[in-house]
Amino acid sequence: MTGLVARHFKIIEKIMIEFVNAKINIGLNITGERPDGYHDLETVFYPVGIESGLPHQPDPFDDILEVAYDKGPVSGCRFQFVGRKILCPPQKNLVVKAASMYLKNYNERYGDLGDYGMFEITLDKHLPDGAGLGGGSADAAFTLKILNEMLGKRFSKEELNHMALKLGADCPFFLVNRPCFAEGIGERLTPLELNLKGKILLIIKPDISVSTAEAFAGIKSHKPDFDLRYLPYLPIEEWKDRIFNDFETTVFAKHPELDAIKQRMYEMGAVYASMSGSGSSIYGIFEEKEVVFQEREKLESTYQGVWLFGL
């Protein structure tokens, strides 16, 4: 870790390091409009990349989050960001927001940090931004979890969930970090017994950015034909014709390259392919890895980001 190297041999009181995974959306239905200007939706969140970086899945896909503290007379929080460039000012970064929120709540309930001293947070960024994979939200949720662990689990799961929701609609999912049916704006979660272990996941992120406002422009709410709560009981071979991401309608019209990537996944033998969230990454789920490995070099020469690992 760069953070550890930067401190050389400085003695610190405690360190926690977490590998922060992403998620994909399997199906995404816009089901209604809300008085607050948001939309109700239904989707399935599925965590991905949990084992990436291990010998059997060497692709670096997870973010690496390190939190350390030094006991001393000065308390507070310092941040360091390395790895993939983060395209936002530090004060708007979700790790900074999450840490600031947690420590503010801690101070209000228990007083100042006292002997804990200075927290040093290093984020080594690998997950792509603006990809519909929840990278920033995951960083924020893991920051809350680590701080809560280091400070003696002073807040309950429900209280952490309340903080996470203030940071983003899909942040609470990463506190659960298991397959879930999500509704509302994505914050109401019901765990699903959905297991894709043994399948191969290919994610492609071209050099395309899709804003949330752009994705929602022209979107129409509707009652879906298939209830995603029953996804575990639907054979994956039938997903292609029954499970859809509503954002593809608006986003593909403006960015046909994304549709072309999805179709290429099917040509390569994917059993299911989709855009994740509001884009702009496209993923494919494969039964066999050989054909994907054969095409990987061509894909990497064409697209900004290509990742391949097991589910």
Side-chain angles (χ1 to χ4, degrees):
M1 273 293 295
T2 304
L4 292 173
V5 172
R7 284 193 290 277
H8 299 291
F9 298 106
K10 183 179 179 181
I11 298 175
I12 56 181
E13 189 68 24
K14 188 173 182 179
I15 299 175
M16 286 190 67
I17 297 174
E18 287 277 4
F19 292 84
V20 181
N21 61 277
K23 60 84 179 169
I24 55 173
N25 294 78
I26 304 177
L28 200 162
N29 303 312
I30 305 301
T31 59
E33 298 177 7
R34 300 159 55 101
D36 58 10
Y38 289 93
H39 288 74
D40 282 318
L41 59 83
E42 294 178 354
T43 189
V44 170
F45 290 135
Y46 195 94
V48 298
I50 290 178
E51 295 184 348
S52 71
L54 297 178
H56 63 289
Q57 294 189 26
D59 276 15
F61 187 67
D62 294 358
D63 289 345
I64 306 172
L65 184 64
E66 174 196 295
V67 181
Y69 70 75
D70 287 320
K71 287 189 174 181
V74 179
S75 62
C77 205
R78 289 193 292 259
F79 301 93
Q80 179 179 209
F81 302 105
V82 297
R84 184 185 293 275
K85 186 177 180 180
I86 301 173
L87 302 176
C88 74
Q91 66 271 21
K92 292 187 177 182
N93 184 276
L94 283 173
V95 168
V96 177
K97 288 185 173 184
S100 300
M101 178 183 291
Y102 184 92
L103 297 178
K104 179 177 182 291
N105 279 275
Y106 184 96
N107 288 339
E108 289 175 351
R109 179 176 295 185
Y110 300 107
D112 62 37
L113 292 170
D115 291 339
Y116 282 105
M118 182 63 67
F119 283 83
E120 299 183 9
I121 299 178
T122 301
L123 176 64
D124 188 356
K125 190 70 180 170
H126 296 275
L127 295 172
D129 296 320
L133 299 171
S137 297
D139 294 332
F142 274 72
T143 299
L144 293 176
K145 287 195 290 187
I146 291 176
L147 288 173
N148 200 47
E149 181 71 28
M150 297 181 85
L151 288 168
K153 297 183 178 179
R154 299 295 188 94
F155 293 97
S156 67
K157 292 180 180 179
E158 291 74 19
E159 289 169 325
L160 286 182
N161 190 77
H162 183 69
M163 294 183 210
L165 184 56
K166 290 183 177 180
L167 295 165
D170 56 353
C171 284
F173 164 73
F174 289 101
L175 297 176
V176 180
N177 215 18
R178 57 168 293 185
C180 286
F181 171 75
E183 53 190 327
I185 58 173
E187 86 288 6
R188 300 205 309 270
L189 303 169
T190 304
L192 289 183
E193 296 301 323
L194 178 63
N195 186 357
L196 296 176
K197 194 171 181 63
K199 301 291 192 294
I200 304 300
L201 183 71
L202 172 65
I203 296 177
I204 296 179
K205 167 67 169 69
D207 190 15
I208 292 173
S209 296
V210 180
S211 69
T212 303
E214 180 183 0
F216 273 102
I219 203 80
K220 294 182 179 180
S221 60
H222 67 103
K223 180 177 175 60
D225 294 330
F226 180 81
D227 189 333
L228 290 169
R229 283 172 286 196
Y230 298 101
L231 185 67
Y233 308 104
L234 182 69
I236 193 170
E237 294 79 13
E238 297 182 25
W239 289 11
K240 178 180 179 181
D241 298 319
R242 302 190 66 182
I243 309 300
F244 305 101
N245 181 340
D246 286 349
F247 285 123
E248 291 183 3
T249 302
T250 56
V251 173
F252 284 3
K254 296 179 180 179
H255 302 284
E257 182 183 355
L258 296 176
D259 189 19
I261 294 172
K262 178 179 175 179
Q263 298 311 314
R264 183 171 181 180
M265 295 244 187
Y266 279 124
E267 291 167 4
M268 290 168 55
V271 290
Y272 182 71
S274 175
M275 186 172 73
S276 186
S278 58
S280 57
S281 67
I282 306 291
Y283 68 85
I285 299 174
F286 294 78
E287 299 278 6
E288 303 291 339
K289 63 182 180 181
E290 285 75 14
V291 66
V292 190
F293 274 97
Q294 292 171 7
E295 293 290 323
R296 181 173 184 169
E297 187 173 341
K298 296 178 185 177
L299 295 170
E300 288 178 334
S301 67
T302 305
Y303 300 110
Q304 181 185 55
V306 178
W307 297 272
L308 179 64
F309 45 83
L311 286 169

